[in-house]
Amino acid sequence: MEILVSGSLAYDRIMDFTGKFSDHIMPDKLDNINVSFTVNGMSENFGGTAGNIAYCLTVLGETPRVVAAIGYDYHRYYEWFAEHGMSTEDVIIVSEEATASAYITTDSDDNQITGFNPGAMKHESGFDFEKIDSQNCIAIVAPGNLQDMSNYTNVHQDRGIYSIFDPGQSLPVWEGKALADCISRSKMLVSNDYELSLILDKTGLTCSQLLEGVETIVTTKGELGCEIMTASGPTESIPVVPTNNVIDPTGAGDAFRGGLIQGLINGLTVKRACMMGTVCSHYVIQSYGTQRYTFTKSEFDNKLKEVFGS
């Protein structure tokens, strides 16, 4: 099955702050913040939503198509793609822009503050849907170029492609109606609990109202696991995989989406697919960076069975 992963490609600059952000932000001064966090060095990693999700799918043995734009400094990322057998066929190079860059700082409670320069992501990726069999295809629309996100949800609906909408970090720039329209054109909405709150606030809709359009809402909740909501049944909860050596939570959500997608293309229930996503998240948080982890099929299958049963 074709797997289209649209979103961003970025170089992530990841930093750790040993304290808590909340200890340095005064609640009564939120309208006048001027704060500096001294970090313990910086690590540069390959990232971006499309890159991270596609990497997880590749580790799982799939061959996703990355639909994104990259800048003139693409060479290192392309070498990484080649090293891991990932195709760049559907990535466009924007010669006048740098590749998108994320500057991610994580505190001791795993809270994160991210600064993001879109760079090449400001340009549409322009995927040619005539190249694929729409009836044998699944797509995820992850945070990336806003016009792409809107256009692709339209095309997916028109062509009958199962489409997952994941607005994530792009939420601050969405207008409520446009956001609600993209959700309603999709089969599944995936977000974390904070992002879901933003979605409800921006659209002015309740979860029940969103479910009049989208079939399924999957919400990740950090150490509390994830929840699955549908219009036809009760909310289902899935716990996290116990992990004693958490190093960096960055990329856990994207890894979750990779496992979720593989479960769906294998014809599993959404609940079982979310369990697979949860196991993927378990692996990524044990390494520093979003594409530094790996696992074998047997390791993955054994962990899935150990935590969630057959």
Side-chain angles (χ1 to χ4, degrees):
M1 178 175 281
E2 296 271 22
I3 306 173
L4 303 183
V5 182
S6 63
S8 62
L9 292 173
Y11 292 115
D12 289 343
R13 280 85 184 193
I14 299 175
M15 297 158 278
D16 281 335
F17 175 61
T18 56
K20 299 179 181 180
F21 295 143
S22 58
D23 291 339
H24 301 270
I25 298 175
M26 301 175 65
D28 60 337
K29 297 291 184 181
L30 292 178
D31 60 336
N32 186 26
I33 296 176
N34 187 352
V35 62
S36 175
F37 302 108
T38 300
V39 299
N40 295 328
M42 180 177 73
S43 171
E44 184 176 87
N45 297 274
F46 300 105
T49 55
N52 294 341
I53 296 169
Y55 175 80
C56 182
L57 284 161
T58 301
V59 174
L60 288 165
E62 304 296 341
T63 54
R65 302 180 72 149
V66 177
V67 180
I70 199 168
Y72 55 73
D73 51 347
Y74 65 89
H75 305 86
R76 285 174 294 145
Y77 217 139
Y78 270 31
E79 289 171 2
W80 179 257
F81 266 57
E83 181 182 341
H84 294 277
M86 298 165 66
S87 173
T88 59
E89 176 186 352
D90 304 299
V91 179
I92 66 163
I93 298 171
V94 182
S95 59
E96 67 271 25
E97 296 275 8
T99 299
S101 300
Y103 297 82
I104 305 164
T105 304
T106 306
D107 74 0
S108 59
D109 279 347
D110 288 339
N111 297 303
Q112 292 184 321
I113 295 177
T114 300
F116 187 72
N117 170 37
M121 199 187 79
K122 291 182 289 188
H123 297 257
E124 296 175 40
S125 54
F127 182 74
D128 180 7
F129 283 87
E130 296 301 324
K131 299 188 295 185
I132 63 163
D133 175 8
S134 298
Q135 302 309 308
N136 189 37
C137 182
I138 188 172
I140 182 166
V141 178
N145 177 275
L146 209 65
Q147 194 60 51
D148 275 349
M149 296 179 73
S150 180
N151 289 344
Y152 290 156
T153 54
N154 259 330
V155 176
H156 295 162
Q157 184 183 53
D158 290 344
R159 290 177 173 263
I161 296 171
Y162 188 100
S163 184
I164 301 168
F165 190 59
D166 170 24
Q169 303 98 313
S170 71
L171 282 168
V173 296
W174 280 93
E175 294 182 355
K177 184 180 184 306
L179 178 61
D181 287 345
C182 283
I183 294 170
S184 68
R185 293 195 295 263
S186 306
K187 296 294 186 182
M188 179 183 289
L189 170 65
V190 181
S191 67
N192 63 35
D193 49 351
Y194 179 75
E195 291 161 353
L196 180 60
S197 296
L198 288 178
I199 290 168
L200 300 180
D201 182 63
K202 276 185 170 285
T203 62
L205 301 174
T206 64
C207 287
S208 295
Q209 290 171 320
L210 289 177
L211 286 167
E212 293 174 7
V214 70
E215 291 179 359
T216 309
I217 298 175
V218 174
T219 309
T220 58
K221 306 180 74 173
E223 69 278 7
L224 299 178
C226 73
E227 288 186 345
I228 304 166
M229 289 182 281
T230 64
S232 59
T235 298
E236 295 187 276
S237 297
I238 297 169
V240 297
V241 176
T243 309
N244 296 324
N245 57 331
V246 177
I247 295 175
D248 178 20
T250 310
D254 291 332
F256 175 89
R257 286 147 177 78
L260 169 68
I261 290 168
Q262 189 185 56
L264 293 175
I265 65 175
N266 286 341
L268 303 179
T269 63
V270 173
K271 184 175 182 178
R272 189 64 175 179
C274 286
M275 291 174 182
M276 293 176 64
T278 300
V279 173
C280 290
S281 297
H282 160 75
Y283 286 107
V284 70
I285 62 177
Q286 296 177 66
S287 60
Y288 198 73
T290 58
Q291 298 181 34
R292 295 291 185 90
Y293 64 97
T294 189
F295 50 80
T296 65
K297 184 179 187 304
S298 61
E299 287 172 337
F300 179 85
D301 290 344
N302 289 339
K303 180 59 68 173
L304 182 66
K305 184 175 181 181
E306 172 193 330
V307 177
F308 297 112
S310 301

